[in-house]
Amino acid sequence: MNTSRVIAACALLASLTTGLLFPLNGYAQGNGTSKVRISTSVGDIEAELYADKAPRTVANFLQYVKDKHYDGTVFHRVIASFMVQGGGYDAKYQQKPTRAPIEHEGRKALAAGLKNTTGTLAMARTGDPHSASSQFFINVVDNAFLDPTPIPDGDPVAKFEYQGRVYENVARAQLVNAPQLFGYTVFGKVTSGMDVVQKIRNTPTGAGGPFPSDVPKTPVLIQSVTLLK
């Protein structure tokens, strides 16, 4: 069965990034855990980043940290029942230039145990799975629907269940490459400062800059992101 039915059954979850894949420079891919401090106008957030589980994603984020890209950006999208998103726009809602996006590695991270649960950091992207650049979000509730969809073994895949429907004998490549099955790559988790995340989550929102909704009425500024270890 052709996977166009799978694709038709899914809704695209869009964010605000564009571009092409690129080779990472600066921070090399590595193993282990790093820690960063996100200093905001409403307090500090500290988070662990899991380079052993999402190496290219963490290396990309840390390169933006090294370049001080995040300094002076805002949380421009806040949805209390969902997530808080930032890292792409300055206080005047001008989009900051970015490097080209990175290859999606959400399934690798999921296989290593990283899911879109409360307090985790994940990369924002467009409907193109390979479009993440600088923008990230912090899940403020468990968002299992953002997790990548595992693809069963076999080629063709004998049986594939998705959103209450069953598909049989589907070419593996069609499922592996279906954009709606990639989900969002988790690469870190808040270790302290969830009270600050809650402040951001609960800030009143409305229209702002080019956005018709979900923008904090009182800007929440990212003053700096610092690598602690």
Side-chain angles (χ1 to χ4, degrees):
M1 184 176 295
N2 193 285
T3 53
S4 61
R5 292 175 61 188
V6 178
I7 295 173
C10 308
L12 289 177
L13 297 168
S15 185
L16 295 161
T17 49
T18 56
L20 302 171
L21 303 182
F22 78 110
L24 285 170
N25 296 310
Y27 281 98
Q29 297 181 45
N31 296 318
T33 302
S34 301
K35 181 172 264 190
V36 294
R37 178 182 295 122
I38 304 170
S39 297
T40 81
S41 54
V42 295
D44 290 351
I45 304 164
E46 292 188 2
E48 290 181 340
L49 309 181
Y50 306 116
D52 54 339
K53 299 175 180 178
R56 291 187 64 84
T57 305
V58 170
N60 174 66
F61 184 85
L62 289 179
Q63 185 65 53
Y64 280 110
V65 171
K66 180 181 179 181
D67 295 341
K68 300 188 181 300
H69 171 91
Y70 295 118
D71 298 8
T73 60
V74 294
F75 282 94
H76 65 276
R77 186 175 179 224
V78 171
I79 303 175
S81 60
F82 184 26
M83 53 90 235
V84 299
Q85 179 177 333
Y89 292 81
D90 65 21
K92 295 182 179 180
Y93 302 107
Q94 296 296 311
Q95 189 167 14
K96 297 189 70 171
T98 63
R99 302 187 308 276
I102 56 171
E103 184 176 358
H104 191 280
E105 57 183 352
R107 289 192 180 116
K108 174 183 176 72
L110 179 68
L114 298 183
K115 298 181 179 182
N116 283 276
T117 54
T118 302
T120 55
L121 278 68
M123 293 305 297
R125 61 173 178 82
T126 67
D128 176 0
H130 306 294
S131 63
S133 56
S134 69
Q135 291 188 43
F136 66 95
F137 61 91
I138 303 173
N139 289 291
V140 298
V141 296
D142 292 347
N143 288 314
F145 74 100
L146 296 182
D147 291 337
T149 301
I151 307 302
D153 294 335
D155 191 8
V157 174
K159 183 179 180 181
F160 179 69
E161 298 183 34
Y162 188 73
Q163 293 191 342
R165 302 184 67 176
V166 177
Y167 304 86
E168 297 180 348
N169 298 318
V170 183
R172 184 174 185 79
Q174 289 183 304
L175 293 176
V176 168
N177 296 315
Q180 293 84 353
L181 302 182
F182 275 80
Y184 289 73
T185 303
V186 174
F187 67 98
K189 186 172 184 177
V190 173
T191 55
S192 68
M194 274 303 293
D195 58 324
V196 176
V197 176
Q198 293 296 340
K199 287 180 185 178
I200 300 170
R201 171 189 186 181
N202 292 320
T203 189
T205 60
F211 308 111
S213 63
D214 303 322
V215 179
K217 291 182 178 180
T218 300
V220 180
L221 185 70
I222 297 176
Q223 297 165 333
S224 65
V225 181
T226 307
L227 178 64
L228 301 178
K229 70 171 186 176

Short mmCIF file of all heavy atoms in Angstrom, two decimals, residues 78-144:
data_model
loop_
_atom_site.label_atom_id
_atom_site.label_comp_id
_atom_site.label_asym_id
_atom_site.label_seq_id
_atom_site.Cartn_x
_atom_site.Cartn_y
_atom_site.Cartn_z
N VAL A 78 5.05 31.20 22.65
CA VAL A 78 4.76 30.61 23.95
C VAL A 78 3.32 30.11 23.94
O VAL A 78 2.38 30.88 23.76
CB VAL A 78 4.97 31.63 25.08
CG1 VAL A 78 4.44 31.07 26.41
CG2 VAL A 78 6.44 32.01 25.20
N ILE A 79 3.16 28.80 24.11
CA ILE A 79 1.84 28.18 24.17
C ILE A 79 1.79 27.38 25.46
O ILE A 79 2.48 26.37 25.61
CB ILE A 79 1.59 27.28 22.95
CG1 ILE A 79 1.74 28.10 21.65
CG2 ILE A 79 0.19 26.66 23.03
CD1 ILE A 79 1.62 27.28 20.38
N ALA A 80 0.99 27.83 26.42
CA ALA A 80 1.02 27.29 27.78
C ALA A 80 0.71 25.81 27.84
O ALA A 80 1.19 25.10 28.74
CB ALA A 80 0.04 28.07 28.66
N SER A 81 -0.07 25.30 26.90
CA SER A 81 -0.44 23.89 26.92
C SER A 81 0.50 23.03 26.07
O SER A 81 0.24 21.84 25.86
CB SER A 81 -1.86 23.73 26.37
OG SER A 81 -1.94 24.21 25.03
N PHE A 82 1.63 23.62 25.65
CA PHE A 82 2.46 22.96 24.65
C PHE A 82 3.95 23.13 24.90
O PHE A 82 4.64 22.24 25.41
CB PHE A 82 2.05 23.50 23.28
CG PHE A 82 2.73 22.87 22.09
CD1 PHE A 82 3.23 21.58 22.12
CD2 PHE A 82 2.85 23.60 20.91
CE1 PHE A 82 3.85 21.03 21.01
CE2 PHE A 82 3.46 23.06 19.79
CZ PHE A 82 3.95 21.76 19.84
N MET A 83 4.49 24.31 24.59
CA MET A 83 5.93 24.52 24.69
C MET A 83 6.24 26.01 24.64
O MET A 83 5.38 26.84 24.35
CB MET A 83 6.67 23.77 23.58
CG MET A 83 6.21 24.04 22.17
SD MET A 83 7.08 25.41 21.39
CE MET A 83 5.74 26.46 20.90
N VAL A 84 7.53 26.35 24.92
CA VAL A 84 8.03 27.72 24.75
C VAL A 84 9.19 27.64 23.77
O VAL A 84 10.06 26.77 23.88
CB VAL A 84 8.45 28.34 26.09
CG1 VAL A 84 7.26 28.41 27.04
CG2 VAL A 84 9.59 27.60 26.76
N GLN A 85 9.22 28.53 22.80
CA GLN A 85 10.18 28.46 21.70
C GLN A 85 10.95 29.76 21.54
O GLN A 85 10.38 30.85 21.64
CB GLN A 85 9.43 28.14 20.40
CG GLN A 85 10.32 28.06 19.16
CD GLN A 85 9.52 27.68 17.93
OE1 GLN A 85 8.48 27.02 18.03
NE2 GLN A 85 9.98 28.08 16.76
N GLY A 86 12.24 29.65 21.27
CA GLY A 86 13.06 30.83 21.06
C GLY A 86 14.30 30.50 20.26
O GLY A 86 14.44 29.44 19.67
N GLY A 87 15.20 31.51 20.24
CA GLY A 87 16.49 31.29 19.60
C GLY A 87 16.63 31.76 18.17
O GLY A 87 17.67 31.55 17.55
N GLY A 88 15.58 32.43 17.65
CA GLY A 88 15.66 32.83 16.25
C GLY A 88 15.47 34.30 15.97
O GLY A 88 15.85 34.79 14.91
N TYR A 89 14.87 35.05 16.92
CA TYR A 89 14.51 36.44 16.69
C TYR A 89 15.06 37.34 17.79
O TYR A 89 15.11 36.94 18.96
CB TYR A 89 12.98 36.60 16.63
CG TYR A 89 12.37 35.95 15.42
CD1 TYR A 89 12.11 34.59 15.40
CD2 TYR A 89 12.06 36.69 14.28
CE1 TYR A 89 11.56 33.97 14.28
CE2 TYR A 89 11.51 36.10 13.16
CZ TYR A 89 11.26 34.74 13.16
OH TYR A 89 10.72 34.14 12.06
N ASP A 90 15.46 38.55 17.40
CA ASP A 90 15.94 39.50 18.40
C ASP A 90 14.74 40.24 19.02
O ASP A 90 13.58 39.95 18.69
CB ASP A 90 16.97 40.47 17.81
CG ASP A 90 16.40 41.40 16.72
OD1 ASP A 90 15.16 41.61 16.67
OD2 ASP A 90 17.20 41.93 15.94
N ALA A 91 15.03 41.18 19.90
CA ALA A 91 13.98 41.87 20.64
C ALA A 91 13.08 42.73 19.76
O ALA A 91 11.98 43.12 20.18
CB ALA A 91 14.59 42.72 21.75
N LYS A 92 13.53 43.00 18.53
CA LYS A 92 12.71 43.75 17.58
C LYS A 92 12.01 42.83 16.59
O LYS A 92 11.47 43.27 15.59
CB LYS A 92 13.57 44.77 16.83
CG LYS A 92 14.13 45.87 17.74
CD LYS A 92 14.95 46.88 16.94
CE LYS A 92 15.48 47.98 17.85
NZ LYS A 92 16.29 48.99 17.09
N TYR A 93 12.06 41.52 16.88
CA TYR A 93 11.44 40.48 16.05
C TYR A 93 12.05 40.42 14.66
O TYR A 93 11.37 40.07 13.69
CB TYR A 93 9.92 40.66 15.97
CG TYR A 93 9.28 40.64 17.33
CD1 TYR A 93 8.78 41.82 17.89
CD2 TYR A 93 9.19 39.47 18.08
CE1 TYR A 93 8.22 41.83 19.15
CE2 TYR A 93 8.62 39.48 19.34
CZ TYR A 93 8.14 40.65 19.88
OH TYR A 93 7.59 40.66 21.13
N GLN A 94 13.34 40.76 14.60
CA GLN A 94 14.08 40.57 13.36
C GLN A 94 14.72 39.18 13.42
O GLN A 94 15.38 38.83 14.40
CB GLN A 94 15.16 41.64 13.19
CG GLN A 94 14.60 43.05 13.06
CD GLN A 94 13.76 43.21 11.80
OE1 GLN A 94 14.18 42.84 10.71
NE2 GLN A 94 12.56 43.76 11.96
N GLN A 95 14.51 38.40 12.37
CA GLN A 95 15.08 37.05 12.37
C GLN A 95 16.59 37.12 12.18
O GLN A 95 17.09 37.81 11.29
CB GLN A 95 14.45 36.20 11.27
CG GLN A 95 14.84 34.74 11.35
CD GLN A 95 13.96 33.87 10.47
OE1 GLN A 95 13.23 34.36 9.60
NE2 GLN A 95 14.01 32.56 10.68
N LYS A 96 17.31 36.41 13.04
CA LYS A 96 18.77 36.42 12.96
C LYS A 96 19.24 35.44 11.90
O LYS A 96 18.65 34.37 11.72
CB LYS A 96 19.37 36.05 14.33
CG LYS A 96 19.04 37.05 15.44
CD LYS A 96 19.84 36.78 16.70
CE LYS A 96 21.32 37.08 16.52
NZ LYS A 96 22.07 37.03 17.80
N PRO A 97 20.31 35.78 11.20
CA PRO A 97 20.85 34.84 10.21
C PRO A 97 21.39 33.59 10.88
O PRO A 97 21.88 33.64 12.02
CB PRO A 97 21.97 35.65 9.53
CG PRO A 97 22.34 36.70 10.53
CD PRO A 97 21.10 37.03 11.29
N THR A 98 21.29 32.48 10.20
CA THR A 98 21.75 31.21 10.74
C THR A 98 22.67 30.51 9.75
O THR A 98 22.72 30.86 8.57
CB THR A 98 20.57 30.27 11.03
OG1 THR A 98 19.90 29.95 9.80
CG2 THR A 98 19.59 30.91 12.01
N ARG A 99 23.37 29.53 10.26
CA ARG A 99 24.06 28.61 9.37
C ARG A 99 23.01 27.71 8.72
O ARG A 99 21.86 27.69 9.12
CB ARG A 99 25.07 27.75 10.15
CG ARG A 99 26.13 28.58 10.89
CD ARG A 99 27.20 27.66 11.48
NE ARG A 99 26.61 26.59 12.27
CZ ARG A 99 26.25 26.69 13.53
NH1 ARG A 99 26.38 27.86 14.16
NH2 ARG A 99 25.72 25.67 14.18
N ALA A 100 23.43 26.94 7.73
CA ALA A 100 22.50 26.01 7.10
C ALA A 100 22.08 24.94 8.10
O ALA A 100 22.81 24.63 9.03
CB ALA A 100 23.16 25.38 5.88
N PRO A 101 20.90 24.38 7.93
CA PRO A 101 20.37 23.41 8.89
C PRO A 101 21.14 22.10 8.95
O PRO A 101 21.99 21.80 8.12
CB PRO A 101 18.94 23.16 8.40
CG PRO A 101 18.60 24.40 7.64
CD PRO A 101 19.87 24.81 6.97
N ILE A 102 20.76 21.31 9.94
CA ILE A 102 21.43 20.04 10.19
C ILE A 102 20.53 18.87 9.81
O ILE A 102 19.31 19.01 9.69
CB ILE A 102 21.83 19.89 11.67
CG1 ILE A 102 20.62 20.06 12.59
CG2 ILE A 102 22.93 20.89 12.01
CD1 ILE A 102 20.87 19.73 14.04
N GLU A 103 21.15 17.73 9.65
CA GLU A 103 20.40 16.51 9.37
C GLU A 103 19.62 16.08 10.61
O GLU A 103 20.13 16.11 11.73
CB GLU A 103 21.36 15.40 8.95
CG GLU A 103 20.69 14.11 8.54
CD GLU A 103 21.67 13.08 8.04
OE1 GLU A 103 22.87 13.39 7.98
OE2 GLU A 103 21.23 11.95 7.71
N HIS A 104 18.40 15.68 10.41
CA HIS A 104 17.53 15.25 11.50
C HIS A 104 18.06 13.94 12.10
O HIS A 104 18.45 13.03 11.38
CB HIS A 104 16.12 15.02 10.93
CG HIS A 104 15.06 14.82 11.95
ND1 HIS A 104 14.85 13.62 12.58
CD2 HIS A 104 14.12 15.67 12.45
CE1 HIS A 104 13.82 13.74 13.42
NE2 HIS A 104 13.37 14.97 13.36
N GLU A 105 18.09 13.87 13.43
CA GLU A 105 18.52 12.63 14.07
C GLU A 105 17.58 12.24 15.22
O GLU A 105 17.98 11.67 16.23
CB GLU A 105 19.97 12.72 14.55
CG GLU A 105 20.29 13.85 15.50
CD GLU A 105 21.77 13.91 15.87
OE1 GLU A 105 22.54 12.98 15.54
OE2 GLU A 105 22.16 14.90 16.51
N GLY A 106 16.30 12.53 15.02
CA GLY A 106 15.32 12.25 16.05
C GLY A 106 15.17 10.78 16.36
O GLY A 106 14.97 10.40 17.52
N ARG A 107 15.23 9.92 15.33
CA ARG A 107 15.06 8.48 15.60
C ARG A 107 16.24 7.94 16.40
O ARG A 107 16.07 7.07 17.26
CB ARG A 107 14.89 7.72 14.29
CG ARG A 107 13.54 7.99 13.61
CD ARG A 107 13.25 7.03 12.48
NE ARG A 107 11.96 7.34 11.88
CZ ARG A 107 11.80 7.75 10.62
NH1 ARG A 107 12.86 7.89 9.84
NH2 ARG A 107 10.59 8.02 10.15
N LYS A 108 17.42 8.45 16.12
CA LYS A 108 18.60 8.05 16.90
C LYS A 108 18.42 8.44 18.36
O LYS A 108 18.69 7.65 19.28
CB LYS A 108 19.86 8.71 16.32
CG LYS A 108 21.14 8.48 17.12
CD LYS A 108 22.29 9.25 16.50
CE LYS A 108 23.56 9.11 17.34
NZ LYS A 108 24.14 7.75 17.24
N ALA A 109 17.97 9.66 18.58
CA ALA A 109 17.76 10.14 19.95
C ALA A 109 16.65 9.36 20.65
O ALA A 109 16.76 9.01 21.83
CB ALA A 109 17.43 11.63 19.94
N LEU A 110 15.58 9.06 19.91
CA LEU A 110 14.48 8.29 20.50
C LEU A 110 14.96 6.90 20.90
O LEU A 110 14.63 6.40 21.99
CB LEU A 110 13.33 8.18 19.50
CG LEU A 110 12.12 7.38 19.98
CD1 LEU A 110 11.41 8.10 21.11
CD2 LEU A 110 11.16 7.11 18.82
N ALA A 111 15.74 6.25 20.03
CA ALA A 111 16.26 4.92 20.33
C ALA A 111 17.14 4.94 21.57
O ALA A 111 17.26 3.93 22.27
CB ALA A 111 17.02 4.37 19.13
N ALA A 112 17.75 6.11 21.84
CA ALA A 112 18.61 6.25 23.02
C ALA A 112 17.81 6.68 24.26
O ALA A 112 18.39 6.92 25.31
CB ALA A 112 19.72 7.26 22.74
N GLY A 113 16.50 6.81 24.11
CA GLY A 113 15.65 7.10 25.27
C GLY A 113 15.15 8.51 25.41
O GLY A 113 14.50 8.84 26.41
N LEU A 114 15.44 9.39 24.43
CA LEU A 114 15.01 10.79 24.54
C LEU A 114 13.64 10.98 23.89
O LEU A 114 13.45 10.73 22.71
CB LEU A 114 16.03 11.72 23.87
CG LEU A 114 17.43 11.72 24.47
CD1 LEU A 114 18.31 12.72 23.74
CD2 LEU A 114 17.40 12.02 25.97
N LYS A 115 12.68 11.44 24.70
CA LYS A 115 11.32 11.68 24.23
C LYS A 115 10.91 13.12 24.57
O LYS A 115 11.50 13.76 25.42
CB LYS A 115 10.34 10.70 24.88
CG LYS A 115 10.63 9.24 24.56
CD LYS A 115 9.60 8.33 25.21
CE LYS A 115 9.86 6.87 24.86
NZ LYS A 115 8.84 5.97 25.46
N ASN A 116 9.87 13.59 23.88
CA ASN A 116 9.37 14.95 24.11
C ASN A 116 8.49 14.98 25.36
O ASN A 116 7.27 15.11 25.31
CB ASN A 116 8.59 15.42 22.88
CG ASN A 116 9.49 15.84 21.75
OD1 ASN A 116 9.98 16.98 21.71
ND2 ASN A 116 9.75 14.92 20.83
N THR A 117 9.16 14.86 26.51
CA THR A 117 8.49 14.91 27.80
C THR A 117 8.71 16.28 28.43
O THR A 117 9.55 17.07 27.98
CB THR A 117 9.01 13.80 28.72
OG1 THR A 117 10.43 13.90 28.81
CG2 THR A 117 8.63 12.43 28.21
N THR A 118 7.98 16.56 29.50
CA THR A 118 8.06 17.86 30.17
C THR A 118 9.51 18.18 30.57
O THR A 118 10.19 17.36 31.17
CB THR A 118 7.19 17.85 31.42
OG1 THR A 118 5.84 17.54 31.06
CG2 THR A 118 7.22 19.20 32.12
N GLY A 119 9.96 19.37 30.18
CA GLY A 119 11.29 19.83 30.54
C GLY A 119 12.38 19.49 29.56
O GLY A 119 13.52 19.93 29.73
N THR A 120 12.06 18.76 28.50
CA THR A 120 13.10 18.44 27.51
C THR A 120 13.23 19.56 26.48
O THR A 120 12.29 20.29 26.20
CB THR A 120 12.79 17.12 26.79
OG1 THR A 120 11.48 17.17 26.20
CG2 THR A 120 12.91 15.95 27.74
N LEU A 121 14.45 19.67 25.92
CA LEU A 121 14.74 20.61 24.85
C LEU A 121 14.72 19.86 23.52
O LEU A 121 15.26 18.75 23.42
CB LEU A 121 16.12 21.25 25.03
CG LEU A 121 16.25 22.44 25.99
CD1 LEU A 121 16.04 21.98 27.43
CD2 LEU A 121 17.62 23.09 25.85
N ALA A 122 14.11 20.45 22.52
CA ALA A 122 14.06 19.86 21.19
C ALA A 122 14.25 20.95 20.15
O ALA A 122 14.07 22.14 20.43
CB ALA A 122 12.74 19.12 20.97
N MET A 123 14.62 20.53 18.95
CA MET A 123 14.85 21.49 17.87
C MET A 123 13.56 21.80 17.13
O MET A 123 12.79 20.90 16.77
CB MET A 123 15.87 20.93 16.88
CG MET A 123 17.26 20.78 17.46
SD MET A 123 17.94 22.30 18.20
CE MET A 123 18.02 23.38 16.76
N ALA A 124 13.31 23.09 16.89
CA ALA A 124 12.20 23.53 16.06
C ALA A 124 12.61 23.39 14.59
O ALA A 124 13.80 23.42 14.25
CB ALA A 124 11.85 24.98 16.37
N ARG A 125 11.63 23.22 13.74
CA ARG A 125 11.90 23.07 12.31
C ARG A 125 10.63 23.37 11.52
O ARG A 125 9.56 23.60 12.09
CB ARG A 125 12.38 21.65 12.01
CG ARG A 125 11.36 20.56 12.37
CD ARG A 125 11.83 19.21 11.89
NE ARG A 125 10.93 18.12 12.23
CZ ARG A 125 9.84 17.78 11.55
NH1 ARG A 125 9.45 18.53 10.52
NH2 ARG A 125 9.10 16.75 11.92
N THR A 126 10.74 23.35 10.19
CA THR A 126 9.58 23.46 9.31
C THR A 126 9.05 22.07 9.03
O THR A 126 9.45 21.09 9.66
CB THR A 126 9.98 24.13 7.98
OG1 THR A 126 10.85 23.24 7.27
CG2 THR A 126 10.67 25.46 8.21
N GLY A 127 8.17 21.94 8.04
CA GLY A 127 7.70 20.63 7.63
C GLY A 127 8.78 19.76 7.04
O GLY A 127 8.62 18.54 6.95
N ASP A 128 9.89 20.35 6.63
CA ASP A 128 11.05 19.59 6.17
C ASP A 128 11.80 19.08 7.39
O ASP A 128 12.29 19.88 8.19
CB ASP A 128 11.95 20.50 5.33
CG ASP A 128 13.24 19.83 4.88
OD1 ASP A 128 13.46 18.64 5.22
OD2 ASP A 128 14.05 20.48 4.21
N PRO A 129 11.91 17.76 7.56
CA PRO A 129 12.58 17.24 8.76
C PRO A 129 14.01 17.74 8.93
O PRO A 129 14.50 17.84 10.05
CB PRO A 129 12.54 15.73 8.55
CG PRO A 129 11.39 15.50 7.64
CD PRO A 129 11.38 16.69 6.73
N HIS A 130 14.67 18.04 7.82
CA HIS A 130 16.08 18.42 7.87
C HIS A 130 16.26 19.94 7.80
O HIS A 130 17.18 20.44 7.15
CB HIS A 130 16.84 17.75 6.72
CG HIS A 130 16.67 16.26 6.69
ND1 HIS A 130 17.15 15.42 7.68
CD2 HIS A 130 16.06 15.46 5.79
CE1 HIS A 130 16.86 14.17 7.39
NE2 HIS A 130 16.19 14.17 6.26
N SER A 131 15.40 20.68 8.49
CA SER A 131 15.46 22.14 8.40
C SER A 131 15.82 22.84 9.71
O SER A 131 15.83 24.06 9.77
CB SER A 131 14.11 22.68 7.90
OG SER A 131 13.08 22.37 8.82
N ALA A 132 16.12 22.08 10.76
CA ALA A 132 16.44 22.71 12.05
C ALA A 132 17.76 23.47 11.97
O ALA A 132 18.75 22.97 11.43
CB ALA A 132 16.52 21.66 13.15
N SER A 133 17.77 24.67 12.52
CA SER A 133 19.02 25.45 12.56
C SER A 133 19.26 25.93 13.99
O SER A 133 19.84 25.20 14.80
CB SER A 133 18.99 26.61 11.56
OG SER A 133 17.87 27.45 11.77
N SER A 134 18.79 27.12 14.36
CA SER A 134 19.09 27.64 15.70
C SER A 134 17.92 27.56 16.68
O SER A 134 18.12 27.54 17.89
CB SER A 134 19.54 29.10 15.61
OG SER A 134 18.46 29.94 15.22
N GLN A 135 16.69 27.54 16.17
CA GLN A 135 15.54 27.63 17.07
C GLN A 135 15.31 26.32 17.82
O GLN A 135 15.44 25.23 17.26
CB GLN A 135 14.30 28.02 16.29
CG GLN A 135 14.35 29.45 15.77
CD GLN A 135 13.05 29.87 15.17
OE1 GLN A 135 11.98 29.59 15.71
NE2 GLN A 135 13.10 30.57 14.03
N PHE A 136 14.96 26.46 19.08
CA PHE A 136 14.70 25.32 19.93
C PHE A 136 13.46 25.59 20.76
O PHE A 136 12.98 26.72 20.85
CB PHE A 136 15.89 25.05 20.86
CG PHE A 136 16.14 26.13 21.87
CD1 PHE A 136 15.62 26.04 23.16
CD2 PHE A 136 16.89 27.26 21.54
CE1 PHE A 136 15.84 27.06 24.09
CE2 PHE A 136 17.11 28.28 22.47
CZ PHE A 136 16.59 28.17 23.74
N PHE A 137 12.92 24.54 21.37
CA PHE A 137 11.79 24.73 22.26
C PHE A 137 11.96 23.85 23.49
O PHE A 137 12.70 22.85 23.47
CB PHE A 137 10.45 24.48 21.57
CG PHE A 137 10.24 23.09 21.01
CD1 PHE A 137 9.66 22.09 21.78
CD2 PHE A 137 10.60 22.79 19.70
CE1 PHE A 137 9.44 20.82 21.27
CE2 PHE A 137 10.39 21.52 19.18
CZ PHE A 137 9.80 20.54 19.96
N ILE A 138 11.27 24.25 24.56
CA ILE A 138 11.24 23.48 25.79
C ILE A 138 9.81 22.98 25.97
O ILE A 138 8.86 23.78 26.00
CB ILE A 138 11.66 24.33 27.01
CG1 ILE A 138 13.06 24.91 26.80
CG2 ILE A 138 11.62 23.49 28.29
CD1 ILE A 138 13.50 25.90 27.88
N ASN A 139 9.65 21.67 26.04
CA ASN A 139 8.33 21.09 26.26
C ASN A 139 7.86 21.43 27.68
O ASN A 139 8.58 21.19 28.64
CB ASN A 139 8.38 19.58 26.09
CG ASN A 139 8.56 19.14 24.65
OD1 ASN A 139 7.65 19.31 23.84
ND2 ASN A 139 9.71 18.58 24.33
N VAL A 140 6.65 21.96 27.80
CA VAL A 140 6.12 22.27 29.13
C VAL A 140 5.07 21.26 29.58
O VAL A 140 4.55 21.33 30.70
CB VAL A 140 5.55 23.71 29.20
CG1 VAL A 140 6.64 24.73 28.94
CG2 VAL A 140 4.39 23.89 28.23
N VAL A 141 4.74 20.31 28.70
CA VAL A 141 3.91 19.15 29.01
C VAL A 141 4.50 17.98 28.25
O VAL A 141 5.39 18.15 27.41
CB VAL A 141 2.42 19.35 28.62
CG1 VAL A 141 1.78 20.48 29.41
CG2 VAL A 141 2.29 19.61 27.12
N ASP A 142 4.02 16.78 28.52
CA ASP A 142 4.44 15.63 27.73
C ASP A 142 3.80 15.72 26.35
O ASP A 142 2.57 15.76 26.23
CB ASP A 142 4.02 14.33 28.42
CG ASP A 142 4.76 14.07 29.72
OD1 ASP A 142 5.77 14.76 29.98
OD2 ASP A 142 4.33 13.17 30.46
N ASN A 143 4.63 15.75 25.32
CA ASN A 143 4.15 15.88 23.94
C ASN A 143 4.56 14.66 23.12
O ASN A 143 5.38 14.74 22.19
CB ASN A 143 4.73 17.16 23.31
CG ASN A 143 4.10 18.41 23.87
OD1 ASN A 143 2.88 18.50 24.02
ND2 ASN A 143 4.92 19.41 24.20
N ALA A 144 3.98 13.52 23.45
CA ALA A 144 4.35 12.27 22.78
C ALA A 144 4.11 12.34 21.27
O ALA A 144 4.82 11.68 20.50
CB ALA A 144 3.57 11.10 23.39
#
